Amino acid sequence: MESAAAATSSVTFYDFLDRMRNPASLDLVRSIKSFIVSSSFYAANPENDGKRVQEFYLTMEAAIREHPLWTGASEEEVDHAMEGLEKYVMTKLFSRTFASASEDSKIDHEISEKICLLQTFLKPEHLDIPAVLQNEASWLLAEKELQKINTFKAPREKLSCIMNCCRVINNLLLNASMSENHVLAGLDDFLPVLIYVTIKANPPQLHSNLKFIQLYRRQAKLVSEAAYYFTNLVSAKEFIVDLSAKSLSMDEIKFEESMQAARLTNKEIQTEASTTLLGQTDPSPTRIPDENRDLSGGSNYPYMDAKAGELTLGDVERLLSLYKDVVTKYTNLRAAVRHHSLSKAGPPFPHSEGTSFSLTRPEGVNTKIDHQRGN
């Protein structure tokens, strides 16, 4: 599933880069460079940036259709060129366009925090998922697909993560219905499972990723199956944001007690994790070998020499919470540093001469490819 989509995306992108190296593409190269550079002339604004990017897509599509390099090209070839253009432009503009507003980062954090609480007690039956459709082991496949969303920078590839997740859920529901003679209720069966999978996966920066796809994925491609699955995940996110006891098959008092207990547990874990990082205390009940202690007798990194067999359930919970906390802080810090660097740096000067498409390849793309075919 993933490898096929990734392979198609790579082939499309490399073909786009190869054509841009052709001397005949100089006018297109200049247009692309000019657009990327000009973006830094405006204050970052997601809605305005989205409109400008969508207009640029349409302008470039018209230019590509009339360009000699695409004379006689099929619709599929033009579409491939546009997919390559979208990936290139949005990878270059990623630090400006993804989670660029502080409000978006705040929403991401609030959603992630709420999901962390819900994970401690929410069960499929709370979302009225029929027992015959419950298959948490298989849902792990869907969760893993959704968790990959931050691995990519291009809108198309982020959307592919969502579609892969939803397809896994849809196939599992179909298989369960056939084996159990259960008549599927369409969206009434699909959406609750998607909500549950989203909560279990707790995908990073969910709000920002959905907003990024909505603003910067070519509108002509956000249709049909892609639009259906994307809209469902947006609905799942909104359900989670507004989720309360009334949203669930759960007593209101029981819900509030469960949420409060989860808050207290998370607070204790975060406090212990913070003091552990500072080397002030060792909250772990696991016995740590003497070699892990410094000259003063304290333990700076209590899990460094611990073996898997020595870890207790409490240790695993602490380590998982610590990991999530570190990743969240790192992601927010990285976004803040990028935003700060972009605001400090002056706009690059566009090259006016030369035909080489010298804009560097986006991160994560294999660069070990000859610039001249046949070498």
Side-chain angles (χ1 to χ4, degrees):
M1 180 188 299
E2 178 193 8
S3 58
T8 301
S9 177
S10 295
V11 170
T12 300
F13 185 62
Y14 287 135
D15 179 67
F16 168 75
L17 291 183
D18 285 341
R19 294 207 189 204
M20 290 299 102
R21 294 191 191 97
N22 191 308
S25 69
L26 177 59
D27 54 337
L28 298 179
V29 172
R30 283 176 172 167
S31 296
I32 296 170
K33 285 185 176 181
S34 176
F35 177 76
I36 292 173
V37 171
S38 67
S39 296
S40 63
F41 299 160
Y42 304 91
N45 180 292
E47 283 68 31
N48 290 343
D49 287 345
K51 290 178 181 177
R52 289 184 67 249
V53 168
Q54 294 296 335
E55 290 172 358
F56 180 67
Y57 289 157
L58 294 176
T59 299
M60 287 301 297
E61 181 174 359
I64 286 174
R65 289 182 180 279
E66 297 174 359
H67 200 276
L69 284 176
W70 277 271
T71 299
S74 65
E75 286 297 314
E76 183 179 22
E77 289 175 316
V78 172
D79 183 65
H80 284 176
M82 290 303 301
E83 294 287 27
L85 174 70
E86 179 190 281
K87 179 173 181 175
Y88 188 86
V89 170
M90 292 317 303
T91 301
K92 285 293 182 182
L93 296 178
F94 187 78
S95 60
R96 172 191 173 90
T97 56
F98 183 79
S100 57
S102 58
E103 182 64 22
D104 291 333
S105 296
K106 179 182 176 182
I107 295 174
D108 284 330
H109 180 71
E110 290 173 349
I111 292 174
S112 181
E113 286 290 302
K114 186 170 186 178
I115 288 178
C116 282
L117 300 180
L118 294 171
Q119 286 178 333
T120 63
F121 65 88
L122 194 73
K123 303 296 180 186
E125 48 267 29
H126 294 143
L127 293 167
D128 296 326
I129 299 175
V132 295
L133 299 181
Q134 295 180 21
N135 191 339
E136 293 202 54
S138 296
W139 288 345
L140 282 172
L141 297 172
E143 293 168 26
K144 290 185 180 299
E145 289 296 331
L146 198 54
Q147 288 169 341
K148 295 173 185 175
I149 195 166
N150 252 24
T151 307
F152 305 101
K153 293 183 177 181
R156 176 193 182 187
E157 292 166 345
K158 287 181 177 291
L159 181 59
S160 291
C161 293
I162 296 173
M163 294 182 67
N164 289 342
C165 167
C166 292
R167 285 167 178 163
V168 169
I169 294 173
N170 200 45
N171 290 337
L172 290 172
L173 290 177
L174 289 173
N175 292 336
S177 67
M178 289 188 291
S179 61
E180 300 291 340
N181 292 321
H182 174 81
V183 179
L184 289 177
L187 189 60
D188 289 339
D189 279 333
F190 178 81
L191 186 57
V193 175
L194 179 59
I195 292 170
Y196 186 75
V197 165
T198 303
I199 291 173
K200 297 295 287 184
N202 197 1
Q205 298 177 283
L206 178 60
H207 169 75
S208 290
N209 274 296
L210 291 175
K211 186 173 181 178
F212 183 77
I213 293 169
Q214 186 173 33
L215 289 174
Y216 302 111
R217 179 63 172 140
R218 282 193 298 147
Q219 294 303 301
K221 306 302 289 185
L222 203 54
V223 295
S224 190
E225 182 187 36
Y228 176 76
Y229 287 146
F230 177 78
T231 302
N232 270 276
L233 186 57
V234 171
S235 298
K237 184 211 75 172
E238 292 173 349
F239 179 89
I240 293 169
V241 170
D242 299 329
L243 188 149
S244 64
K246 295 179 181 179
S247 313
L248 306 172
S249 295
M250 191 175 187
D251 178 73
E252 186 169 354
I253 295 177
K254 178 65 175 175
F255 175 80
E256 292 301 332
E257 289 177 346
S258 298
M259 289 292 282
Q260 185 60 27
R263 289 190 191 97
L264 292 173
T265 300
N266 283 2
K267 185 176 181 180
E268 291 174 0
I269 291 174
Q270 289 173 4
T271 300
E272 292 174 350
S274 297
T275 54
T276 300
L277 282 175
L278 292 173
Q280 295 175 348
T281 62
D282 178 9
S284 168
T286 301
R287 220 179 145 75
I288 306 301
D290 292 339
E291 294 84 356
N292 194 46
R293 300 190 173 276
D294 59 19
L295 295 177
S296 63
S299 176
N300 291 329
Y301 304 100
Y303 294 104
M304 284 300 292
D305 291 331
K307 293 180 171 51
E310 297 174 338
L311 297 178
T312 67
L313 181 59
D315 293 328
V316 175
E317 291 177 350
R318 289 185 181 88
L319 286 167
L320 178 60
S321 177
L322 179 59
Y323 168 78
K324 290 180 178 179
D325 187 52
V326 169
V327 170
T328 299
K329 289 179 179 177
Y330 168 75
T331 303
N332 291 339
L333 178 61
R334 186 182 181 190
V337 170
R338 283 183 172 178
H339 181 68
H340 180 70
S341 299
L342 185 62
S343 63
K344 290 266 187 182
F349 190 82
H351 295 290
S352 59
E353 298 296 331
T355 60
S356 174
F357 199 57
S358 58
L359 310 177
T360 56
R361 291 178 184 268
E363 294 177 15
V365 176
N366 182 10
T367 59
K368 295 182 179 178
I369 290 188
D370 292 332
H371 285 226
Q372 299 180 1
R373 287 298 202 192
N375 288 354

